[in-house]
Amino acid sequence: MTVPAASPRWRAAAGAALTAAVAGLGAASVLAEFAAVTWFADLAVHFRVQYAVLAVATAFAAALLRRRGLLAASLLVLAANLPGAARELLPAARAGSGAATPAVPAAPAAPAVRLELAVANLWYRNPRPELALQWLEREDADVVFLMEVTPAWRSALGVLETRYPHGSYVAGPRGRGVLVLSRWPLSAPVVPRLASGEGRALFVTVSRGGVPLRLALMHASWPCGPALSRARAADLAALATEARAHVGRPLLVLGDLNVTPLSPHFARLLADGALRDAAAGRGWQPTWPVAFAPLGIRIDHALVNGAVTVRAWRRGPAIGSDHRPLRLSVEYGV
């Protein structure tokens, strides 16, 4: 078999492309190590799963091209990202990760109350609001937390009023706010003053059968840029402060926190708030962006303290938003 004359040029082009790919992966992986230091490094840290998968692909290509240096570099990139990727991809790895599940007080031995909750960033530009409404009606949760709720969304959500007699809304800029709907009474509402602005958070207590559960509901700032990154850090600190104030009493944090479990800022929130991740041990569950799954990351969360037991957690389907919703079931007692 003769080798085509173009083969050397093809191999040179392929080698150059592969070199660029490995260099890019290496640079992103090194940058991710400084996620606690600067905002653009924190953006890089969220994609360790993708880095690891691409490193496997470049290692395979390097082996085919017999480029030992690039093969070694690809394996180094894989090794750097494998621990984080394993925590995201493998249920057993996440369940055993001390960073993902910090020590918190034990859940009550005999929880008294079970509560079903649904969480969704509706997206103010959602072109298919009927999908979100159908999902909410089908799930029939006890408590619903919704973000990016515009006047148009509030009007559309009116069909749920008979199902949810209790509710609270916090208006935000350009009409985008947060809304909680509940079958059960709500009390003690607090609208925290956040660096990211109004309409992004609500702390409120829901009581079923007279047994209270504190809800810390938030749509944290998008961290693109130094100012917004500082605002996101302040938002997460406010959540941690609220959680610390309720250690020993049932508390649940819900929302689009614009941070993934791979970020040191997420680990700090868990540690400072004595919280644990309700999705721990459930494998890779990206919630955003819906439109481009290969870049998927999990930035929508449910976090609980030691007085709450998570009985079920799952992602919902596409509902016209750029986020997937969450559905969970918890138990708690006095």
Side-chain angles (χ1 to χ4, degrees), residues 192-227:
R193 298 186 65 179
L194 300 175
S196 57
E198 296 296 323
R200 304 194 71 93
L202 173 66
F203 303 158
V204 66
T205 297
V206 58
S207 298
R208 181 174 183 180
V211 183
L213 170 67
R214 189 64 169 173
L215 300 174
L217 311 171
M218 180 174 285
H219 182 190
S221 174
W222 181 252
C224 291

Side-chain angles (χ1 to χ4, degrees), residues 1 4 52 69 79 86 118 126 128 153 157 162 168 171 194 214 265 311 334:
M1 179 178 178
N126 190 325
R128 299 289 305 278
W153 264 118
L157 293 165
T162 57
S168 185
L194 300 175
R214 189 64 169 173
H265 299 286
R311 294 303 182 193
V334 292

Side-chain angles (χ1 to χ4, degrees), residues 112-116 142 184-185 205-213 332:
V113 176
R114 186 159 185 150
L115 211 61
E116 308 292 328
D142 295 308
W184 311 106
T205 297
V206 58
S207 298
R208 181 174 183 180
V211 183
L213 170 67
Y332 63 98

Side-chain angles (χ1 to χ4, degrees), residues 18 21-22 25 47-60 74 77-78 295:
L18 183 60
V22 173
L25 287 172
F47 299 94
R48 288 200 183 275
V49 171
Q50 287 84 352
Y51 301 155
V53 171
L54 289 172
V56 171
T58 58
F60 181 73
S74 295
V77 170
L78 178 61
L295 286 180

Side-chain angles (χ1 to χ4, degrees), residues 48 88 122 124 188 194 198 210 216 218-219 232 235-236 243 245 248 256 307 323 327-328:
R48 288 200 183 275
E88 287 294 285
L122 295 174
Y124 72 101
L194 300 175
E198 296 296 323
M218 180 174 285
H219 182 190
R232 200 266 321 261
D235 290 349
L236 299 185
D256 170 5
H323 292 251
R327 180 67 160 79
L328 66 152

